[in-house]
Amino acid sequence: MTSPIKPPEGNWWDQPINRRESIWLGIGVGWSVILFGWMSAFTRIGDQNPIGETYRVEAEDYRDKLQAYVDEGTDTEEGLVPPGDDVYIGAGQFYWDGLPVVLETGQEYDFHLAAYDVQHGFSVRPEHTLSKQINLQVLPGYEWIVPMEFDEPGTYRVLCNEFCGDGHEAMHGRIIVQEG
Ligand SMILES: [Cu+2]
């Protein structure tokens, strides 16, 4: 049997680099440098970066804090109305503690995010545009406080966007935002 792939004729492996190859190599190197610079700039410039503060916290302590917050809030048919500007959310296999929550537009809330067991992903999407989303990592051992404000009223879905085990797909929650 003969191979359908035929080697090129002659001495093809020992040729000087041609002009077209040099140009593409140059473009490749140039583009790499741009992307490298972009990575660095992306973390320093603009509003796209998650902000806030992070504190070490034990899962049990966070659970207690969240429970105290839930007790202080007002339970309504739609969900919990937080007692103040703080919103506590706990992620566990496989549920969102503290959701659903009822918030208002035009008010800045401090979202507290922590996980009880493994790493989870806090993904928030407006119900009418599920492709529009923010994604934040929720880690066990850390409480991340992120300021957030909703411009538009509506229902926002919260789902876990980090595969966290068999049951991960059941991690749904809701944030109901009302006109403030
Ligand atoms: Cu999860």
Side-chain angles (χ1 to χ4, degrees):
M1 248 186 55
T2 54
S3 167
I5 304 165
K6 296 228 166 29
E9 299 288 321
N11 177 14
W12 55 269
W13 61 86
D14 192 18
Q15 300 286 335
I17 193 161
N18 73 29
R19 202 174 141 70
R20 210 184 284 175
E21 274 179 300
S22 314
I23 290 169
W24 279 112
L25 277 172
I27 291 172
V29 169
W31 186 237
S32 312
V33 170
I34 289 170
L35 289 183
F36 185 79
W38 182 273
M39 271 198 297
S40 172
F42 196 83
T43 59
R44 286 159 222 255
I45 304 161
D47 295 330
Q48 71 277 11
N49 300 297
I51 42 172
E53 287 163 12
T54 312
Y55 300 94
R56 270 231 173 253
V57 72
E58 293 301 321
E60 276 319 302
D61 296 340
Y62 190 76
R63 220 185 267 273
D64 292 345
K65 252 205 247 191
L66 195 142
Q67 195 50 53
Y69 149 87
V70 169
D71 292 344
E72 240 187 279
T74 316
D75 221 354
T76 69
E77 221 163 88
E78 292 204 84
L80 181 84
V81 178
D85 297 344
D86 290 287
V87 177
Y88 284 81
I89 293 170
Q93 285 165 315
F94 300 95
Y95 58 94
W96 291 106
D97 218 0
L99 295 179
V101 75
V102 183
L103 306 178
E104 285 183 359
T105 55
Q107 192 183 328
E108 188 174 289
Y109 293 94
D110 282 329
F111 272 68
H112 299 244
L113 303 168
Y116 297 141
D117 34 47
V118 297
Q119 182 170 356
H120 296 278
F122 180 71
S123 172
V124 184
R125 312 164 185 217
E127 201 164 53
H128 58 279
T129 327
L130 288 173
S131 57
K132 197 164 137 187
Q133 54 177 296
I134 61 153
N135 287 293
L136 302 174
Q137 291 295 319
V138 189
L139 299 163
Y142 294 94
E143 176 177 349
W144 187 9
I145 305 170
V146 197
M148 268 191 235
E149 190 179 324
F150 291 85
D151 296 332
E152 291 164 29
T155 301
Y156 292 77
R157 301 232 193 125
V158 176
L159 14 129
C160 181
N161 215 15
E162 185 68 49
F163 182 71
C164 55
D166 186 12
H168 156 77
E169 68 284 352
M171 277 184 79
H172 290 280
R174 260 172 304 128
I175 297 170
I176 291 110
V177 179
Q178 298 172 342
E179 199 77 63

